[in-house]
Amino acid sequence: IRTVKERARFTYTILPFKRVPRLIQIHLIKNTVLWLNTLPAMDGISEEHSPRYIMTGRELSYNKHVVIEFGKYVQTHEEHDNSMLVRTMGA
């Protein structure tokens, strides 16, 4: 629990909010636990597989998990035609 708290506090301090909404706090903890369970432990039961893979059978996907850091501002692409209207939206 101490490690999860330390890692979550670090990420919490770099978020661009004065007050972090509860939903973001929940996802912050989930994200912290995901990354802690992604790499195999040095003294773990497997040198090749992470605890996440051992328990769920799912590998980490670069396109889904690694592309954007937690809490960063992104622009998403929206449906558009060939006009001069906005094609992205902040998220």
Side-chain angles (χ1 to χ4, degrees), residues 47-72:
E47 293 180 5
E48 296 177 15
H49 298 295
S50 67
R52 180 175 194 256
Y53 180 79
I54 293 169
M55 296 301 292
T56 64
R58 296 187 303 190
E59 291 284 347
L60 194 70
S61 168
Y62 178 81
N63 292 329
K64 183 177 180 184
H65 298 104
V66 185
V67 176
I68 301 171
E69 189 177 339
F70 184 85
K72 293 297 179 185

Side-chain angles (χ1 to χ4, degrees), residues 30-61:
K30 287 182 179 182
N31 186 60
T32 302
V33 171
L34 175 125
W35 282 107
L36 283 172
N37 289 327
T38 296
L39 299 172
M42 292 178 68
D43 58 348
I45 60 172
S46 174
E47 293 180 5
E48 296 177 15
H49 298 295
S50 67
R52 180 175 194 256
Y53 180 79
I54 293 169
M55 296 301 292
T56 64
R58 296 187 303 190
E59 291 284 347
L60 194 70
S61 168

Side-chain angles (χ1 to χ4, degrees), residues 16-31:
F17 303 108
K18 291 186 182 209
R19 184 179 176 280
V20 178
R22 183 139 178 92
L23 184 61
I24 292 179
Q25 290 177 10
I26 291 168
H27 285 283
L28 170 65
I29 299 299
K30 287 182 179 182
N31 186 60

